[in-house]
Amino acid sequence: INAYLNSKSPKFAAIQAFVTASANAQIAQAALEKANQAVLDAQAQLDTLNQAMTDLLADPAHTQQQVDDLQAQIDTQQTAVDDATQAAADAQTAADAAAVGTDDASLDAALADMANKPVDAEVTDWAKGVLADKIDQMAAKLAPATP
């Protein structure tokens, strides 16, 4: 498979493009999952702050300064939730765009281009199994370094 992926032959260009696109889609999906988790985490913090406000207001000994301080924290956290939600929406858009060209039809077309004849579902399934590891390796190579 390394020979196919590193070949300069135009017959393999479509397979190489499929692997690269699939790796980029995998990276984008991982970024989407991370962004969605950030939304959940930010919302959980906001929920905790809102509950603290409810508890504080139920305490007859609360002061206006305590309410104001907690409201400032809630406002800041709401901004964090809004920012995380927008980042998740952007990540979804990127993941959708990156997924283009990574479906079975695209793989079938790449395989047919390489073989100069149509391929069946059995060949596609075999190719997905063979290429899965290469897609993972390409994704690891293309993924931005995380601190």
Side-chain angles (χ1 to χ4, degrees), residues 57-131:
L57 293 175
D59 180 358
H62 76 271
T63 65
Q64 187 59 44
Q65 184 62 46
Q66 289 172 317
V67 172
D68 292 345
D69 290 347
L70 188 52
Q71 186 59 53
Q73 291 177 37
I74 290 171
D75 293 345
T76 298
Q77 190 58 35
Q78 182 62 57
T79 299
V81 169
D82 294 344
D83 291 348
T85 301
Q86 183 59 53
D90 294 345
Q92 181 66 61
T93 300
D96 291 346
V100 172
T102 63
D103 59 352
D104 285 356
S106 298
L107 178 57
D108 284 345
L111 292 169
D113 191 39
M114 183 177 77
N116 281 335
K117 63 181 180 178
V119 296
D120 60 21
E122 185 178 337
V123 171
T124 300
D125 289 342
W126 171 83
K128 284 194 289 189
V130 169
L131 294 176

Side-chain angles (χ1 to χ4, degrees), residues 32-46 77 80-89:
L32 173 59
E33 290 168 8
K34 184 176 180 180
N36 284 335
Q37 186 60 53
V39 170
L40 293 174
D41 294 345
Q43 184 62 52
Q45 287 180 289
L46 180 59
Q77 190 58 35
V81 169
D82 294 344
D83 291 348
T85 301
Q86 183 59 53

